[in-house]
Each structure stands twice: as structure tokens, then as C-alpha cells.
Amino acid sequence: MQNKNKLPSEIVLTYKIKHNYDLKNLLDGFMSTSQKAVDIIWENINWKEKQVKHRFKSKNKYKYYTTTRLIPEIPKDKDFKRELRNYLLNGWNFASHYVDGAIKVAYSTIESWKSNYLDGKRKRNKPTFKRPFVRVKNTLIKYDKENGTIRITIKARKEYLVLDIKNEWFFEKIRGFDIGEIILKDNEALITFKKPLNIFDKKVVIGVDSNLKSLDLFHPEEGWIRVDLSELHRIKNVYDVIIDKLKSIYKKAPKRIGILLKKYYNRRKNRVEDFINKLTSQLSKLFPNAIFIFEDLDKLNMYKNSNFNRDLDRTSWREIAKKLEYKSIVFYVNPHYTSKTCPICGSRMESQEGQVVTCEKCGVFNRQFVGSFNIFKRGVKLVKKLLGGVGVPVTGVEVDDLLSNEPRGELRPMSPKSIVRVNLSGSTFIHIYS
């Protein structure tokens, strides 16, 4: 299992605002300079042959074979970078720090290409830039926190771009944050804000069991909470039906159907992202002091038949966890046997019909609760290992009483005008009224 458990050091928030400045020359120049940097770096890549071992699954067993691959070694020495910078500065009409940003963009682009190339997702084709943008370094930014103004140097001591964020909806949220890098586009700016994160303020571990149409959470104080993903599943299913029909008649009118396919692919993507953004925002607000523990799942090892595979493709486990990483702390644990290990004695259990699993010693349990509870236990061990011991409150919950209970509530993404009301005294933990 790939190690994805890195301790975060800061909170990073990004917001988009509009501007009406004419940046065409800067945008075109930056993109051209970034492409020149990629061209020069590409020409100086050293390709080395290496024996690579591969494996594939056949009848529940792995078989292995080796191939010879060309592995790129990207030039990164200081002398090369200095010569590259000096070359790109020739004829540059804007602040020199933009050239540093272009070089950084070039290297990150080639590193991304290399990662995909080694994974077999890219060929030995040089990356090219198609969409103009400008990456603004901190040295070109002056941020007035009190007045909410951001001044960006375009030409040193000559030309500046000023952004006013005091009346933006997010201004109160970023009080106390420092400003990070800014991405400039034709009529908008993406602004990054950063704040040091004290991870030791997070004192609750929540186990998250990922299922086809739900996330099942185990909270040490509130017990079992079900996050309903059926609406997300429905959204994907609706658009998949439309897209499948369009594909079936694609040959009759490729140009017109192609435009419709692009339209519905974008709609599907936007609605899914909207759902996940609202869901993860709500989770982070409801559990501000929590560390979320997800399974490190690999869909490729789960495929069974065509119908199940389609349902599996409509899940968004990885996207939900990744979005939540921007708003809370997320760690990953080994997913093996989380739903088949007895939560009391630790022995391997047998599955029965539906969501029932049975332990010969301890009795009958709900599979989804068992999964979330075992992920929670593995998460506690992982957090203590990474942080050197963290208090996990367990007062107010009797684990034995929860083992056969139904979920205590359902959690759905809020619409923009929804109100969250929490009832801790009753049998239901969370109510959401739209």
C-alpha cells in the first residue's frame, strides 16, 4: 500500500475573484516563456535504460514479467537552472520574478508528466501549454490584511494590479491567514491563503467505511453515523444514461453528438463536484476537531461483473477523501478485512445474506458498522504512531450497545440555504432541513 499519510503543516484555502485588467501581453509572454523552459529542459533530459518488473492478476494469482524501459533523468543542478534563467530573461519586459515562476511551472509540468509516464499513462511526448495563465510568486505580492487589498507587481516600480477583497464573501474566513501564490487568468484570479496548523488540537478520530451508496462513520462519542450517497449515485446514473444513448448514435452525426457529449460530461462533472464540495464542507464543520480515517482502496482489485463494475465506477471515495484533505486532516489505513474482523475478539468472521456477518464467539453484527469500527481502531493506532499519542475521547458511548444498532442518523449535502440542526439528546444524531 502506498504511504499517503503525511502530516500537514498548514491550512490552505483558495478563492476565485474577478478582475477587469488587460493582462493579455503578460499571459501570452508567461505561457511562451514557460514553454521555452519546458523545451530546454526536455532537450537536456538524460534517458537511461532500466529493467522494470510488472505484474498482472490471473485467476486470483499474480504473474510477473520484465521489460526494458527508458527512464528520464531531469536536469536540476544549480548551474543548469542559472543558465536557463539568464537565457529566459533576455527580452523579458515584465518583473524578473515571473521568469522564476515560469521555470517552476515548467519543472512541475515535466515532473507530473514523468510520474504519469512511469505509470504508463503518458508516452514520450513533450508537454505543451494551451491555456494562458500566470503564476505569481510571493515576492511580487503585497497584502494589506486590514484593508483587504492585494497589490501585484506587473512591471517593477512602474505597473501594478490591485485586487480588493474586503467586500468578498470569504474575507472574514481568511482573517489571520497569510497570502500564498496567486494564479492570474484573463479575467479572474485564484488567490491562496495559508495558516499554520496545530494538528494536536485534533482530538477525535473518526473511522470512515466506504460503501457503494453510503459512507459509514464511527465517532467515539456519537457512535455510528451514515452519510447517504444515494443522491450522488443517482446524479451519475442519470447522466450516464444520457451519455450512453448519445454514444450509441455518435456515428450518425459525429460533430453534433460530440458537442452534446462534451456538454453532458461537463454537467455531470460539475454536479458531482458540487455535491462533494458541499458534503465535505459540512463534514469539516460538523466535526472541526476530528481526524478522518479512510481506507486506502484500489478499485482495480474489486471488479467482478459488468453490473457491479458500473456501480463501482459511480463511487467517488477517492474524490471525497481528497476534497476533505483541504478542509480537515485525513489519514489512510489498510482496507484488508476491515468488514470481516470481529470488533470484539478480532477473529475472522463469515458473511451471511445482506449486511450480516457472524462471529462464532461473539454473535451477529452489521457489516458496515463493523467496517467503520475496525477502521476507527486502526486509525487510533496510526494517529498515535504518527503523533506520539493523541487523546481519543470515548465517554458517552458503550461500544457493546452499538454493535447491533441501526445507524443513528443520515447526513446529506446541504443546498446553499439548508440549515443544520444537531440533536444530541434524541435517538437521531443529525437532522438536516432543506
Side-chain angles (χ1 to χ4, degrees):
M1 181 178 64
Q2 184 181 359
N3 183 18
K4 301 176 182 177
N5 298 317
K6 298 179 181 179
L7 294 178
S9 59
E10 58 188 6
I11 301 171
V12 180
L13 301 175
T14 303
Y15 297 98
K16 181 190 299 184
I17 68 169
K18 298 289 184 179
H19 71 77
N20 56 2
Y21 289 82
D22 183 7
L23 298 176
K24 187 178 186 308
N25 291 336
L26 177 60
L27 291 168
D28 292 343
F30 187 89
M31 186 173 70
S32 174
T33 303
S34 300
Q35 189 61 57
K36 286 180 183 178
V38 168
D39 295 344
I40 295 170
I41 296 169
W42 187 268
E43 290 172 0
N44 288 273
I45 288 178
N46 183 24
W47 298 88
K48 286 193 172 182
E49 290 187 353
K50 184 178 180 181
Q51 294 291 323
V52 182
K53 192 174 184 180
H54 306 274
R55 73 174 186 178
F56 64 95
K57 202 169 186 179
S58 177
K59 297 181 180 180
N60 297 325
K61 291 184 179 180
Y62 285 107
K63 294 185 179 181
Y64 298 86
Y65 66 96
T66 58
T67 59
T68 301
R69 292 198 65 188
L70 290 173
I71 306 300
E73 289 186 355
I74 303 170
K76 296 181 180 179
D77 58 276
K78 292 182 180 179
D79 292 337
F80 175 80
K81 289 184 177 180
R82 188 183 302 110
E83 291 179 6
L84 176 62
R85 186 178 189 273
N86 292 336
Y87 173 78
L88 295 176
L89 279 172
N90 290 328
W92 182 251
N93 297 321
F94 302 95
S96 59
H97 287 286
Y98 285 112
V99 172
D100 298 327
I103 293 173
K104 190 172 181 180
V105 167
Y107 269 103
S108 63
T109 300
I110 291 181
E111 289 288 354
S112 176
W113 165 85
K114 179 181 177 180
S115 176
N116 289 322
Y117 168 77
L118 295 177
D119 289 341
K121 299 176 182 177
R122 295 288 186 275
K123 296 182 180 180
R124 278 204 303 155
N125 296 328
K126 179 175 62 179
T128 56
F129 295 102
K130 297 179 181 179
R131 298 179 181 177
F133 71 95
V134 174
R135 188 171 186 168
V136 185
K137 292 183 63 178
N138 293 70
T139 50
L140 295 168
I141 303 169
K142 186 176 181 180
Y143 178 39
D144 186 340
K145 293 183 180 180
E146 293 299 322
N147 295 320
T149 57
I150 301 170
R151 193 186 76 175
I152 301 171
T153 301
I154 304 298
K155 295 181 180 180
R157 295 180 291 276
K158 292 182 179 179
E159 184 179 343
Y160 302 93
L161 182 156
V162 179
L163 303 173
D164 188 353
I165 63 170
K166 192 168 186 178
N167 296 322
E168 297 291 338
W169 64 273
F170 57 81
F171 184 65
E172 292 300 324
K173 289 189 175 184
I174 50 90
R175 283 192 179 274
F177 282 69
D178 295 323
I179 198 164
E181 288 190 330
I182 296 177
I183 301 296
L184 292 178
K185 296 185 178 181
D186 186 32
N187 59 356
E188 63 185 20
L190 299 174
I191 310 173
T192 302
F193 298 93
K194 299 179 180 181
K195 184 179 181 180
L197 172 65
N198 185 3
I199 195 171
F200 295 97
D201 289 341
K202 307 292 185 179
K203 297 181 179 180
V204 176
V205 173
I206 297 179
V208 183
D209 183 29
S210 303
N211 298 295
L212 285 177
K213 295 186 180 181
S214 71
L215 298 180
D216 288 88
L217 281 59
F218 180 83
H219 189 291
E221 292 179 326
E222 310 304 338
W224 181 9
I225 305 162
R226 173 160 291 169
V227 180
D228 186 7
L229 300 182
S230 59
E231 176 63 16
L232 176 60
H233 201 82
R234 187 196 68 80
I235 291 170
K236 290 186 174 184
N237 181 57
V238 167
Y239 283 99
D240 285 345
V241 170
I242 296 172
I243 290 169
D244 287 345
K245 288 182 179 179
L246 289 172
K247 285 181 176 179
S248 67
I249 59 174
Y250 178 78
K251 291 183 179 179
K252 295 181 179 178
K255 188 174 181 179
R256 184 165 60 87
I257 300 301
I259 294 172
L260 290 173
L261 280 172
K262 183 177 180 180
K263 170 185 170 182
Y264 284 107
Y265 272 124
N266 287 334
R267 281 190 182 179
R268 183 184 192 273
K269 177 184 175 183
N270 291 337
R271 289 199 63 185
V272 168
E273 285 186 356
D274 181 65
F275 184 102
I276 294 174
N277 278 327
K278 289 175 181 176
L279 173 61
T280 52
S281 294
Q282 187 181 3
L283 285 172
S284 64
K285 290 176 183 176
L286 288 171
F287 309 112
N289 298 320
I291 297 174
F292 292 89
I293 310 297
F294 280 78
E295 301 169 281
D296 190 12
L297 294 171
D298 182 6
K299 289 184 182 179
L300 293 177
N301 293 327
M302 298 183 186
Y303 292 122
K304 297 178 181 178
N305 56 60
S306 58
N307 291 332
F308 179 80
N309 294 349
R310 197 66 187 265
D311 285 340
L312 190 62
D313 284 335
R314 292 190 182 115
T315 60
S316 299
W317 305 323
R318 183 66 68 196
E319 292 87 343
I320 291 171
K322 286 295 180 185
K323 287 287 185 183
L324 195 56
E325 284 181 10
Y326 290 101
K327 303 162 186 177
S328 298
I329 297 174
V330 176
F331 291 148
Y332 299 89
V333 295
N334 193 321
H336 290 164
Y337 304 113
T338 52
S339 299
K340 293 183 179 180
T341 303
C342 178
I344 297 178
C345 68
S347 61
R348 192 68 52 79
M349 298 188 293
E350 294 184 0
S351 299
Q352 293 183 350
E353 293 183 4
Q355 296 299 319
V356 177
V357 286
T358 303
C359 175
E360 294 180 355
K361 298 179 182 178
C362 306
V364 177
F365 308 110
N366 185 292
R367 178 199 297 274
Q368 292 175 339
F369 171 79
V370 170
S372 62
F373 185 74
N374 284 327
I375 293 167
F376 162 77
K377 292 200 298 182
R378 293 183 187 184
V380 171
K381 292 180 181 179
L382 175 64
V383 169
K384 288 184 176 180
K385 179 181 177 181
L386 293 174
L387 304 184
V390 169
V392 181
V394 293
T395 57
V397 59
E398 293 293 336
V399 174
D400 290 340
D401 292 340
L402 287 166
L403 290 175
S404 59
N405 286 351
E406 291 299 318
R408 298 180 64 187
E410 290 189 350
L411 177 63
R412 292 185 176 86
M414 296 181 294
S415 60
K417 295 182 180 179
S418 297
I419 302 172
V420 179
R421 298 177 183 173
V422 180
N423 177 16
L424 295 176
S425 59
S427 59
T428 302
F429 172 48
I430 297 172
H431 280 298
I432 295 181
Y433 301 91
S434 296

